[in-house]
Amino acid sequence: MKTKLFSLQIFVGLLIIVLTLALGCKPQNPSTAVIGDAAQKVYVAPGQYDEFYNLVSGGFNGQVSVYGLPSGRLLKIIPVFSQFPESGWGYSEETKPMLNTSHGFVPWDDAHHLAFSTTNGEHDGRWAFINGNNTPRIARIDFGSFRTEEILEIPNSSGNHSSPFLTENTEYAIAGTRFGFPLDDAGSNPDVPIDSYRENFKSVVSFVRIDPESGQMSMGFQLLFPGMDFDLSKGGKGPSHDWAFFSCYNSELAHTLLEVNASQKDKDFIMAVNWKKCEEYVKAGKGKVLKSRYAHNLYDDTKHQANSVIETETIVLDPRELKDVVYLMPCPKSPHGCDVNPTGEYIAGSGKLAAVVPVFSFQKMLQAIENKTFDGEYEGMPVLNYDAVLHGEVKKPGLGPLHTEFDDEGFAYTSCFVSSEIAKWNVKTLEVVDRIPTYYSIGHLMVPGGNTAHPHGKYVVAYNKITKDRYLPTGPELTQSAQLYDITGGKMKLLLDFPTVGEPHYAEAIPASLVKDRSVRFFKIEDNQHAYAAKGEKEAKVFREGNKVHVNMTSIRSHFTPDNIEGVKLGDEVYFHVTNLEQDWDVPHGFAIKGNDNAEILIMPGETCTLKWVPDKVGVIPFYCTDFCSALHQEMQGYIRVSPRGTNIALSYSTNKKPDSESK
Amino acid sequence: MFRKNSFLLAIIVIGLIACTSKKEAEEAAKKSPTPSEIASKQPEVHGTEVKDVELTNPLNQVWVEAGKKNYDLKCLACHKLTDEKLVGPGWAGVTKRRQPVWILNMITNVDMMLDSDPEAQKLLEECLVRMPNQNLTQAEARELLEFMRRNDGEK
Ligand SMILES: [Cu+2]
């Protein structure tokens, strides 16, 4: 027993030494990693603008947060898949349809990856797309409004993880299912034994078409696969424009304890899909129509109203029948990241359990396809010979390589989760030229424009899963964080830590100059086509439709019209349709009413928003403006009187009406 | 039952019978402007000081009418046509107390006026609410001036 313990100690000791050697010397004190002029490099003087917008996925908060770089200042949280009481997103009558799905109203999601629209592979500053992982969806945010303008549900999918990465000209957004699931003839999820996985479970990859003018999404086509799990994806560029690449794990087709059972095979795959050819097959009528129900939600900026439509079909292709649209490249050990370099020639597949990052060559892939250099088949799909398609392997990048981004000078940056570091390597020679620690457990990383044809370079940002001792403690849950590194010199240099909202996954950054002049400042009140808008105080009114009471109300610094309302009765549903009459930037008004089992609304200038309220008690209830709008903001308030059922107090409303006794 | 072939065979092939109401909704949505289009149509008249203006008699009745429309939509919430103060001063007599150019700048250049014009600043001290920039074009402001002149009894 004693000897055993002793040898265990020796073993642990040796292990520590070996690990230290393997990982190189990490600085003992994290703060020593910061260089002298770091403060100067991230300092953005009061009143000055940041150089980049950095949109960061919020993970389990279902939102997107907007930071300025290099300062790391938080500029805005854009509600996407989750209700946001602060602005009324998903609470107001106008925005509730945005969260509609085939399951009904789903008020939350897990938002992982941002993809900025590109033209010829370069950022064009029009839209940002983001995936909902849990209840498969893709959302489109407009860079004019910084608002979610559209959400499309992805049918026949479970766990929309490898999404919403775009093709080079934003022709398609990609969506591959992470969880194989049983799919029957009607596109529904039938009741089958879980251990019939092999037989019944499928995986679907979707290509969502994007209208080049409006950005509006529609289902292009879907590809049907055996129940392998798709992890991440990227569109090709330049020579590989017609292709999209996916990392796949669980080629074992396991359905339990995947941690072990999906890590059995030495190699899984990077899958190459020729989407252009798929498009042609669809045009040629090779697709089959599959009944599928999915929601398509669009926000209209003149009606100030979202509309949700349930779509009923998709077009499905079977790559195993078509033969020449899908090829598998063997990739060590459950690959995670699948990243295409700026020229579109190299694809880095990061096997998160592997000791190398294999880099595939697109030219070699084409060659191998032409020469049929196959290593057999996987479930009826051709597997290309590893050596035939390999550009080379990055040796010892670090432990647990996850994702790779690229700069404008031919270097790649790979995040290593287990060893908490970024490895910089030369894309041509595959030599690791620099490495730097992150604090701690880096997941995604991002170089501004690092997944485009022309990276903007300058920085790499690490999005970390763990912060431990980096910030003041805040109870059991600590902030997650981003870290900004300078990459302009030969050596990466840590400049800044900043906390992030939610859990950051993939992020993108775009030069402010491409976006900032596109901002909507206000909505023209003349163009407001909301069904209950009050365009001017003369149009303010209260009217009844059965037990529904509609209040068409105006707001302006600093009063509501009407602000005294009587004749509402218990059992009524009251809809406050508040129109903000302001026509200047940065003057929203808010509206909240006591005891409402709902949120507030924030109404942008020129917009109309509706808050529903079902009074639960008789009495006189106050409402007020929640957004400090002027020196007399505190006076921006009013009353609504709720009378018992069956009383016959007529509906009446006013502002600034003096009692008869006073006006005499 | 769910084997590959039977799955494919049993896929229900129905033609492209599109639902018209959905189509219409999509068409309507296509027509409504995108935020980028909205942003490109925002007049920014702030910062261009109005230096002179020509008054003509009799009043331009078309402008008076157009001015009234904008008054109802964008000014009435704060300004009465009598001498009663609401959020801002009542407009009765405003064209007598103020130069036409001053009024135009108050409408299209209100930030500049509140920052530097002593008379405007005096009003702000009384009202304590900053008169908002309602983003009127110079032409719309001119129409409102015509409406104010009418309100002050000019013909
Ligand atoms: Cu207010």
Side-chain angles (χ1 to χ4, degrees), chain A residues 200 224 289 309 311 318 518 521-522 526 537 557 559 583-584, chain B residues 2 7-8 11-12 22 39 42 68 74 77 128 132-135:
Chain A
N200 291 330
L224 193 63
V289 175
V309 173
E311 307 274 356
D318 188 332
R518 287 172 186 263
R521 294 182 289 247
F522 63 94
E526 290 90 338
E537 290 190 354
R557 279 165 271 182
H559 61 277
Q583 291 289 280
D584 199 2
Chain B
F2 295 106
F7 172 82
L8 285 170
I11 285 174
I12 305 156
K22 190 191 88 192
Q42 294 168 120
K68 171 157 178 15
K74 295 178 178 174
L128 291 172
N133 163 20
Q134 288 290 64
N135 261 295

PDB file of all heavy atoms in Angstrom, chain A residues 200 224 289 309 311 318 518 521-522 526 537 557 559 583-584, chain B residues 2 7-8 11-12 22 39 42 68 74 77 128 132-135:
ATOM      1  N   ASN A 200     -33.085   4.172 -37.818  1.00  0.00           N
ATOM      2  CA  ASN A 200     -34.092   5.230 -37.944  1.00  0.00           C
ATOM      3  C   ASN A 200     -33.565   6.662 -37.917  1.00  0.00           C
ATOM      4  O   ASN A 200     -34.258   7.574 -38.335  1.00  0.00           O
ATOM      5  CB  ASN A 200     -35.125   5.104 -36.828  1.00  0.00           C
ATOM      6  CG  ASN A 200     -35.997   3.883 -37.002  1.00  0.00           C
ATOM      7  OD1 ASN A 200     -36.233   3.457 -38.131  1.00  0.00           O
ATOM      8  ND2 ASN A 200     -36.436   3.311 -35.905  1.00  0.00           N
ATOM      9  N   LEU A 224     -29.708  14.731 -46.974  1.00  0.00           N
ATOM     10  CA  LEU A 224     -30.053  13.721 -45.992  1.00  0.00           C
ATOM     11  C   LEU A 224     -28.870  12.784 -45.764  1.00  0.00           C
ATOM     12  O   LEU A 224     -28.314  12.241 -46.723  1.00  0.00           O
ATOM     13  CB  LEU A 224     -31.235  12.941 -46.557  1.00  0.00           C
ATOM     14  CG  LEU A 224     -31.982  12.038 -45.623  1.00  0.00           C
ATOM     15  CD1 LEU A 224     -32.626  12.855 -44.519  1.00  0.00           C
ATOM     16  CD2 LEU A 224     -33.052  11.300 -46.422  1.00  0.00           C
ATOM     17  N   VAL A 289     -39.847  16.652 -52.463  1.00  0.00           N
ATOM     18  CA  VAL A 289     -40.490  17.568 -51.517  1.00  0.00           C
ATOM     19  C   VAL A 289     -40.837  16.806 -50.253  1.00  0.00           C
ATOM     20  O   VAL A 289     -41.446  15.749 -50.298  1.00  0.00           O
ATOM     21  CB  VAL A 289     -41.754  18.188 -52.138  1.00  0.00           C
ATOM     22  CG1 VAL A 289     -42.480  19.039 -51.112  1.00  0.00           C
ATOM     23  CG2 VAL A 289     -41.380  19.029 -53.351  1.00  0.00           C
ATOM     24  N   VAL A 309     -45.056  33.180 -40.277  1.00  0.00           N
ATOM     25  CA  VAL A 309     -45.760  32.305 -41.216  1.00  0.00           C
ATOM     26  C   VAL A 309     -45.233  30.887 -41.009  1.00  0.00           C
ATOM     27  O   VAL A 309     -44.028  30.700 -40.850  1.00  0.00           O
ATOM     28  CB  VAL A 309     -45.486  32.762 -42.674  1.00  0.00           C
ATOM     29  CG1 VAL A 309     -46.073  31.779 -43.660  1.00  0.00           C
ATOM     30  CG2 VAL A 309     -46.023  34.156 -42.911  1.00  0.00           C
ATOM     31  N   GLU A 311     -44.247  27.608 -42.659  1.00  0.00           N
ATOM     32  CA  GLU A 311     -43.986  27.009 -43.963  1.00  0.00           C
ATOM     33  C   GLU A 311     -44.232  25.510 -43.853  1.00  0.00           C
ATOM     34  O   GLU A 311     -44.193  24.949 -42.749  1.00  0.00           O
ATOM     35  CB  GLU A 311     -42.527  27.248 -44.372  1.00  0.00           C
ATOM     36  CG  GLU A 311     -42.083  28.698 -44.314  1.00  0.00           C
ATOM     37  CD  GLU A 311     -42.393  29.457 -45.587  1.00  0.00           C
ATOM     38  OE1 GLU A 311     -42.880  28.832 -46.546  1.00  0.00           O
ATOM     39  OE2 GLU A 311     -42.143  30.673 -45.617  1.00  0.00           O
ATOM     40  N   ASP A 318     -30.646  13.382 -51.738  1.00  0.00           N
ATOM     41  CA  ASP A 318     -29.919  12.295 -51.098  1.00  0.00           C
ATOM     42  C   ASP A 318     -28.536  12.193 -51.722  1.00  0.00           C
ATOM     43  O   ASP A 318     -28.382  11.739 -52.849  1.00  0.00           O
ATOM     44  CB  ASP A 318     -30.669  10.977 -51.269  1.00  0.00           C
ATOM     45  CG  ASP A 318     -30.022   9.880 -50.434  1.00  0.00           C
ATOM     46  OD1 ASP A 318     -28.790   9.959 -50.195  1.00  0.00           O
ATOM     47  OD2 ASP A 318     -30.732   8.946 -50.025  1.00  0.00           O
ATOM     48  N   ARG A 518     -24.429  53.648 -41.483  1.00  0.00           N
ATOM     49  CA  ARG A 518     -25.670  53.007 -41.901  1.00  0.00           C
ATOM     50  C   ARG A 518     -26.727  53.033 -40.823  1.00  0.00           C
ATOM     51  O   ARG A 518     -27.827  52.519 -41.019  1.00  0.00           O
ATOM     52  CB  ARG A 518     -25.429  51.527 -42.181  1.00  0.00           C
ATOM     53  CG  ARG A 518     -24.678  51.231 -43.434  1.00  0.00           C
ATOM     54  CD  ARG A 518     -24.372  49.732 -43.443  1.00  0.00           C
ATOM     55  NE  ARG A 518     -23.529  49.416 -44.567  1.00  0.00           N
ATOM     56  CZ  ARG A 518     -23.999  48.947 -45.721  1.00  0.00           C
ATOM     57  NH1 ARG A 518     -25.275  48.731 -45.876  1.00  0.00           N
ATOM     58  NH2 ARG A 518     -23.175  48.688 -46.706  1.00  0.00           N
ATOM     59  N   ARG A 521     -31.439  56.309 -37.431  1.00  0.00           N
ATOM     60  CA  ARG A 521     -31.454  57.223 -36.287  1.00  0.00           C
ATOM     61  C   ARG A 521     -32.845  57.324 -35.683  1.00  0.00           C
ATOM     62  O   ARG A 521     -33.019  57.469 -34.491  1.00  0.00           O
ATOM     63  CB  ARG A 521     -30.921  58.575 -36.707  1.00  0.00           C
ATOM     64  CG  ARG A 521     -29.443  58.503 -37.081  1.00  0.00           C
ATOM     65  CD  ARG A 521     -28.887  59.844 -37.455  1.00  0.00           C
ATOM     66  NE  ARG A 521     -29.405  60.272 -38.731  1.00  0.00           N
ATOM     67  CZ  ARG A 521     -28.671  60.398 -39.836  1.00  0.00           C
ATOM     68  NH1 ARG A 521     -27.395  60.163 -39.796  1.00  0.00           N
ATOM     69  NH2 ARG A 521     -29.214  60.798 -40.958  1.00  0.00           N
ATOM     70  N   PHE A 522     -33.847  57.296 -36.548  1.00  0.00           N
ATOM     71  CA  PHE A 522     -35.228  57.315 -36.070  1.00  0.00           C
ATOM     72  C   PHE A 522     -36.091  56.812 -37.209  1.00  0.00           C
ATOM     73  O   PHE A 522     -35.637  56.696 -38.352  1.00  0.00           O
ATOM     74  CB  PHE A 522     -35.653  58.736 -35.662  1.00  0.00           C
ATOM     75  CG  PHE A 522     -35.646  59.719 -36.800  1.00  0.00           C
ATOM     76  CD1 PHE A 522     -36.813  59.976 -37.517  1.00  0.00           C
ATOM     77  CD2 PHE A 522     -34.479  60.368 -37.179  1.00  0.00           C
ATOM     78  CE1 PHE A 522     -36.804  60.850 -38.590  1.00  0.00           C
ATOM     79  CE2 PHE A 522     -34.468  61.247 -38.252  1.00  0.00           C
ATOM     80  CZ  PHE A 522     -35.631  61.494 -38.958  1.00  0.00           C
ATOM     81  N   GLU A 526     -44.176  59.835 -40.550  1.00  0.00           N
ATOM     82  CA  GLU A 526     -45.075  59.813 -41.716  1.00  0.00           C
ATOM     83  C   GLU A 526     -45.157  58.401 -42.314  1.00  0.00           C
ATOM     84  O   GLU A 526     -46.166  58.042 -42.896  1.00  0.00           O
ATOM     85  CB  GLU A 526     -44.581  60.758 -42.821  1.00  0.00           C
ATOM     86  CG  GLU A 526     -44.693  62.235 -42.495  1.00  0.00           C
ATOM     87  CD  GLU A 526     -43.448  62.780 -41.821  1.00  0.00           C
ATOM     88  OE1 GLU A 526     -42.674  61.982 -41.238  1.00  0.00           O
ATOM     89  OE2 GLU A 526     -43.242  64.002 -41.861  1.00  0.00           O
ATOM     90  N   GLU A 537     -51.098  63.904 -31.581  1.00  0.00           N
ATOM     91  CA  GLU A 537     -51.993  63.739 -30.432  1.00  0.00           C
ATOM     92  C   GLU A 537     -53.458  63.753 -30.843  1.00  0.00           C
ATOM     93  O   GLU A 537     -54.308  63.216 -30.151  1.00  0.00           O
ATOM     94  CB  GLU A 537     -51.717  64.834 -29.391  1.00  0.00           C
ATOM     95  CG  GLU A 537     -50.373  64.620 -28.718  1.00  0.00           C
ATOM     96  CD  GLU A 537     -50.145  65.512 -27.510  1.00  0.00           C
ATOM     97  OE1 GLU A 537     -50.988  66.395 -27.252  1.00  0.00           O
ATOM     98  OE2 GLU A 537     -49.121  65.307 -26.843  1.00  0.00           O
ATOM     99  N   ARG A 557     -41.544  64.164 -25.095  1.00  0.00           N
ATOM    100  CA  ARG A 557     -41.023  64.811 -23.882  1.00  0.00           C
ATOM    101  C   ARG A 557     -42.010  65.821 -23.326  1.00  0.00           C
ATOM    102  O   ARG A 557     -42.263  66.802 -24.007  1.00  0.00           O
ATOM    103  CB  ARG A 557     -39.717  65.553 -24.192  1.00  0.00           C
ATOM    104  CG  ARG A 557     -38.511  64.670 -24.234  1.00  0.00           C
ATOM    105  CD  ARG A 557     -37.370  65.376 -24.871  1.00  0.00           C
ATOM    106  NE  ARG A 557     -37.375  65.170 -26.324  1.00  0.00           N
ATOM    107  CZ  ARG A 557     -36.425  65.668 -27.130  1.00  0.00           C
ATOM    108  NH1 ARG A 557     -35.457  66.401 -26.654  1.00  0.00           N
ATOM    109  NH2 ARG A 557     -36.474  65.435 -28.421  1.00  0.00           N
ATOM    110  N   HIS A 559     -44.844  63.781 -21.823  1.00  0.00           N
ATOM    111  CA  HIS A 559     -46.188  63.379 -21.424  1.00  0.00           C
ATOM    112  C   HIS A 559     -46.770  62.353 -22.387  1.00  0.00           C
ATOM    113  O   HIS A 559     -46.327  62.239 -23.524  1.00  0.00           O
ATOM    114  CB  HIS A 559     -47.126  64.588 -21.315  1.00  0.00           C
ATOM    115  CG  HIS A 559     -47.312  65.355 -22.592  1.00  0.00           C
ATOM    116  ND1 HIS A 559     -46.425  66.313 -23.022  1.00  0.00           N
ATOM    117  CD2 HIS A 559     -48.280  65.300 -23.540  1.00  0.00           C
ATOM    118  CE1 HIS A 559     -46.846  66.824 -24.172  1.00  0.00           C
ATOM    119  NE2 HIS A 559     -47.973  66.217 -24.514  1.00  0.00           N
ATOM    120  N   GLN A 583     -38.743  62.785 -33.304  1.00  0.00           N
ATOM    121  CA  GLN A 583     -38.104  62.529 -34.601  1.00  0.00           C
ATOM    122  C   GLN A 583     -36.610  62.825 -34.536  1.00  0.00           C
ATOM    123  O   GLN A 583     -36.022  63.318 -35.478  1.00  0.00           O
ATOM    124  CB  GLN A 583     -38.780  63.374 -35.682  1.00  0.00           C
ATOM    125  CG  GLN A 583     -40.200  62.907 -35.978  1.00  0.00           C
ATOM    126  CD  GLN A 583     -40.216  61.573 -36.713  1.00  0.00           C
ATOM    127  OE1 GLN A 583     -40.025  61.490 -37.910  1.00  0.00           O
ATOM    128  NE2 GLN A 583     -40.429  60.482 -35.972  1.00  0.00           N
ATOM    129  N   ASP A 584     -36.035  62.528 -33.395  1.00  0.00           N
ATOM    130  CA  ASP A 584     -34.605  62.761 -33.252  1.00  0.00           C
ATOM    131  C   ASP A 584     -33.961  61.494 -32.700  1.00  0.00           C
ATOM    132  O   ASP A 584     -34.618  60.647 -32.113  1.00  0.00           O
ATOM    133  CB  ASP A 584     -34.350  63.942 -32.314  1.00  0.00           C
ATOM    134  CG  ASP A 584     -32.953  64.514 -32.493  1.00  0.00           C
ATOM    135  OD1 ASP A 584     -32.208  64.022 -33.370  1.00  0.00           O
ATOM    136  OD2 ASP A 584     -32.612  65.449 -31.766  1.00  0.00           O
TER     137      ASP A 584
ATOM    138  N   PHE B   2     -38.197   2.346 -41.418  1.00  0.00           N
ATOM    139  CA  PHE B   2     -37.568   3.631 -41.743  1.00  0.00           C
ATOM    140  C   PHE B   2     -36.296   3.452 -42.549  1.00  0.00           C
ATOM    141  O   PHE B   2     -35.446   4.334 -42.551  1.00  0.00           O
ATOM    142  CB  PHE B   2     -37.260   4.387 -40.449  1.00  0.00           C
ATOM    143  CG  PHE B   2     -38.499   4.751 -39.710  1.00  0.00           C
ATOM    144  CD1 PHE B   2     -38.863   4.083 -38.557  1.00  0.00           C
ATOM    145  CD2 PHE B   2     -39.317   5.757 -40.193  1.00  0.00           C
ATOM    146  CE1 PHE B   2     -40.009   4.418 -37.898  1.00  0.00           C
ATOM    147  CE2 PHE B   2     -40.458   6.093 -39.517  1.00  0.00           C
ATOM    148  CZ  PHE B   2     -40.816   5.415 -38.365  1.00  0.00           C
ATOM    149  N   PHE B   7     -37.804   5.140 -46.867  1.00  0.00           N
ATOM    150  CA  PHE B   7     -37.922   6.563 -46.506  1.00  0.00           C
ATOM    151  C   PHE B   7     -38.067   7.415 -47.753  1.00  0.00           C
ATOM    152  O   PHE B   7     -38.958   8.230 -47.885  1.00  0.00           O
ATOM    153  CB  PHE B   7     -36.694   7.003 -45.701  1.00  0.00           C
ATOM    154  CG  PHE B   7     -36.649   8.477 -45.460  1.00  0.00           C
ATOM    155  CD1 PHE B   7     -37.381   9.056 -44.432  1.00  0.00           C
ATOM    156  CD2 PHE B   7     -35.894   9.278 -46.297  1.00  0.00           C
ATOM    157  CE1 PHE B   7     -37.372  10.416 -44.248  1.00  0.00           C
ATOM    158  CE2 PHE B   7     -35.874  10.636 -46.109  1.00  0.00           C
ATOM    159  CZ  PHE B   7     -36.608  11.208 -45.083  1.00  0.00           C
ATOM    160  N   LEU B   8     -37.163   7.152 -48.686  1.00  0.00           N
ATOM    161  CA  LEU B   8     -37.174   7.991 -49.882  1.00  0.00           C
ATOM    162  C   LEU B   8     -38.409   7.739 -50.730  1.00  0.00           C
ATOM    163  O   LEU B   8     -39.020   8.658 -51.255  1.00  0.00           O
ATOM    164  CB  LEU B   8     -35.910   7.735 -50.704  1.00  0.00           C
ATOM    165  CG  LEU B   8     -34.683   8.392 -50.075  1.00  0.00           C
ATOM    166  CD1 LEU B   8     -33.428   7.919 -50.776  1.00  0.00           C
ATOM    167  CD2 LEU B   8     -34.807   9.917 -50.162  1.00  0.00           C
ATOM    168  N   ILE B  11     -41.488   9.483 -49.417  1.00  0.00           N
ATOM    169  CA  ILE B  11     -41.563  10.939 -49.320  1.00  0.00           C
ATOM    170  C   ILE B  11     -42.733  11.422 -50.178  1.00  0.00           C
ATOM    171  O   ILE B  11     -42.877  11.021 -51.323  1.00  0.00           O
ATOM    172  CB  ILE B  11     -40.252  11.586 -49.800  1.00  0.00           C
ATOM    173  CG1 ILE B  11     -39.190  11.398 -48.727  1.00  0.00           C
ATOM    174  CG2 ILE B  11     -40.442  13.065 -50.082  1.00  0.00           C
ATOM    175  CD1 ILE B  11     -37.823  11.857 -49.148  1.00  0.00           C
ATOM    176  N   ILE B  12     -43.524  12.219 -49.582  1.00  0.00           N
ATOM    177  CA  ILE B  12     -44.707  12.652 -50.307  1.00  0.00           C
ATOM    178  C   ILE B  12     -44.318  13.737 -51.297  1.00  0.00           C
ATOM    179  O   ILE B  12     -43.813  14.788 -50.922  1.00  0.00           O
ATOM    180  CB  ILE B  12     -45.748  13.215 -49.333  1.00  0.00           C
ATOM    181  CG1 ILE B  12     -46.044  12.162 -48.257  1.00  0.00           C
ATOM    182  CG2 ILE B  12     -47.013  13.632 -50.071  1.00  0.00           C
ATOM    183  CD1 ILE B  12     -46.574  12.748 -46.991  1.00  0.00           C
ATOM    184  N   LYS B  22     -49.709  33.398 -47.871  1.00  0.00           N
ATOM    185  CA  LYS B  22     -48.315  33.453 -47.452  1.00  0.00           C
ATOM    186  C   LYS B  22     -47.507  34.257 -48.471  1.00  0.00           C
ATOM    187  O   LYS B  22     -46.721  35.113 -48.126  1.00  0.00           O
ATOM    188  CB  LYS B  22     -47.796  32.030 -47.353  1.00  0.00           C
ATOM    189  CG  LYS B  22     -46.443  31.903 -46.710  1.00  0.00           C
ATOM    190  CD  LYS B  22     -45.896  30.513 -46.885  1.00  0.00           C
ATOM    191  CE  LYS B  22     -45.130  30.379 -48.169  1.00  0.00           C
ATOM    192  NZ  LYS B  22     -44.831  28.995 -48.518  1.00  0.00           N
ATOM    193  N   ALA B  39     -32.284  54.125 -43.296  1.00  0.00           N
ATOM    194  CA  ALA B  39     -31.163  54.969 -42.861  1.00  0.00           C
ATOM    195  C   ALA B  39     -30.723  55.920 -43.960  1.00  0.00           C
ATOM    196  O   ALA B  39     -30.347  57.058 -43.698  1.00  0.00           O
ATOM    197  CB  ALA B  39     -29.997  54.085 -42.419  1.00  0.00           C
ATOM    198  N   GLN B  42     -32.766  59.432 -44.234  1.00  0.00           N
ATOM    199  CA  GLN B  42     -32.956  60.293 -43.076  1.00  0.00           C
ATOM    200  C   GLN B  42     -32.364  61.667 -43.350  1.00  0.00           C
ATOM    201  O   GLN B  42     -31.156  61.808 -43.451  1.00  0.00           O
ATOM    202  CB  GLN B  42     -32.276  59.682 -41.857  1.00  0.00           C
ATOM    203  CG  GLN B  42     -32.911  58.409 -41.426  1.00  0.00           C
ATOM    204  CD  GLN B  42     -32.078  57.665 -40.419  1.00  0.00           C
ATOM    205  OE1 GLN B  42     -32.495  57.406 -39.319  1.00  0.00           O
ATOM    206  NE2 GLN B  42     -30.874  57.321 -40.801  1.00  0.00           N
ATOM    207  N   LYS B  68     -49.773  73.269 -41.292  1.00  0.00           N
ATOM    208  CA  LYS B  68     -50.722  72.823 -40.261  1.00  0.00           C
ATOM    209  C   LYS B  68     -50.631  71.308 -40.050  1.00  0.00           C
ATOM    210  O   LYS B  68     -50.679  70.820 -38.932  1.00  0.00           O
ATOM    211  CB  LYS B  68     -52.146  73.220 -40.656  1.00  0.00           C
ATOM    212  CG  LYS B  68     -53.179  72.579 -39.737  1.00  0.00           C
ATOM    213  CD  LYS B  68     -54.473  73.320 -39.694  1.00  0.00           C
ATOM    214  CE  LYS B  68     -55.541  72.670 -38.807  1.00  0.00           C
ATOM    215  NZ  LYS B  68     -55.138  71.667 -37.877  1.00  0.00           N
ATOM    216  N   LYS B  74     -46.280  66.932 -35.421  1.00  0.00           N
ATOM    217  CA  LYS B  74     -44.973  67.005 -34.767  1.00  0.00           C
ATOM    218  C   LYS B  74     -44.796  68.128 -33.742  1.00  0.00           C
ATOM    219  O   LYS B  74     -43.774  68.185 -33.064  1.00  0.00           O
ATOM    220  CB  LYS B  74     -43.873  67.147 -35.836  1.00  0.00           C
ATOM    221  CG  LYS B  74     -43.771  65.924 -36.710  1.00  0.00           C
ATOM    222  CD  LYS B  74     -42.740  66.077 -37.780  1.00  0.00           C
ATOM    223  CE  LYS B  74     -42.659  64.788 -38.603  1.00  0.00           C
ATOM    224  NZ  LYS B  74     -41.776  64.933 -39.749  1.00  0.00           N
ATOM    225  N   ALA B  77     -48.178  68.505 -29.718  1.00  0.00           N
ATOM    226  CA  ALA B  77     -48.007  67.885 -28.408  1.00  0.00           C
ATOM    227  C   ALA B  77     -47.422  68.865 -27.401  1.00  0.00           C
ATOM    228  O   ALA B  77     -47.615  68.698 -26.199  1.00  0.00           O
ATOM    229  CB  ALA B  77     -47.121  66.652 -28.535  1.00  0.00           C
ATOM    230  N   LEU B 128     -37.398  74.235 -19.234  1.00  0.00           N
ATOM    231  CA  LEU B 128     -36.607  73.115 -18.724  1.00  0.00           C
ATOM    232  C   LEU B 128     -36.698  71.824 -19.550  1.00  0.00           C
ATOM    233  O   LEU B 128     -36.186  70.790 -19.156  1.00  0.00           O
ATOM    234  CB  LEU B 128     -36.953  72.830 -17.253  1.00  0.00           C
ATOM    235  CG  LEU B 128     -36.481  73.927 -16.309  1.00  0.00           C
ATOM    236  CD1 LEU B 128     -37.017  73.695 -14.895  1.00  0.00           C
ATOM    237  CD2 LEU B 128     -34.958  74.024 -16.286  1.00  0.00           C
ATOM    238  N   PRO B 132     -37.274  69.569 -29.009  1.00  0.00           N
ATOM    239  CA  PRO B 132     -36.654  68.496 -29.787  1.00  0.00           C
ATOM    240  C   PRO B 132     -36.391  68.882 -31.236  1.00  0.00           C
ATOM    241  O   PRO B 132     -37.108  69.714 -31.801  1.00  0.00           O
ATOM    242  CB  PRO B 132     -37.686  67.379 -29.718  1.00  0.00           C
ATOM    243  CG  PRO B 132     -38.984  68.073 -29.543  1.00  0.00           C
ATOM    244  CD  PRO B 132     -38.697  69.334 -28.776  1.00  0.00           C
ATOM    245  N   ASN B 133     -35.389  68.272 -31.794  1.00  0.00           N
ATOM    246  CA  ASN B 133     -35.199  68.344 -33.234  1.00  0.00           C
ATOM    247  C   ASN B 133     -36.202  67.375 -33.834  1.00  0.00           C
ATOM    248  O   ASN B 133     -36.078  66.167 -33.673  1.00  0.00           O
ATOM    249  CB  ASN B 133     -33.768  67.908 -33.560  1.00  0.00           C
ATOM    250  CG  ASN B 133     -33.590  67.562 -35.024  1.00  0.00           C
ATOM    251  OD1 ASN B 133     -34.385  67.973 -35.868  1.00  0.00           O
ATOM    252  ND2 ASN B 133     -32.542  66.808 -35.324  1.00  0.00           N
ATOM    253  N   GLN B 134     -37.209  67.888 -34.517  1.00  0.00           N
ATOM    254  CA  GLN B 134     -38.217  67.002 -35.107  1.00  0.00           C
ATOM    255  C   GLN B 134     -37.867  66.633 -36.554  1.00  0.00           C
ATOM    256  O   GLN B 134     -38.711  66.119 -37.273  1.00  0.00           O
ATOM    257  CB  GLN B 134     -39.615  67.616 -35.009  1.00  0.00           C
ATOM    258  CG  GLN B 134     -40.180  67.628 -33.588  1.00  0.00           C
ATOM    259  CD  GLN B 134     -40.542  66.231 -33.073  1.00  0.00           C
ATOM    260  OE1 GLN B 134     -39.682  65.376 -32.918  1.00  0.00           O
ATOM    261  NE2 GLN B 134     -41.810  65.985 -32.811  1.00  0.00           N
ATOM    262  N   ASN B 135     -36.627  66.925 -36.920  1.00  0.00           N
ATOM    263  CA  ASN B 135     -36.118  66.541 -38.241  1.00  0.00           C
ATOM    264  C   ASN B 135     -36.970  66.995 -39.413  1.00  0.00           C
ATOM    265  O   ASN B 135     -37.293  66.211 -40.309  1.00  0.00           O
ATOM    266  CB  ASN B 135     -35.849  65.044 -38.299  1.00  0.00           C
ATOM    267  CG  ASN B 135     -34.375  64.767 -38.081  1.00  0.00           C
ATOM    268  OD1 ASN B 135     -33.560  65.159 -38.892  1.00  0.00           O
ATOM    269  ND2 ASN B 135     -34.042  64.150 -36.970  1.00  0.00           N
TER     270      ASN B 135
END
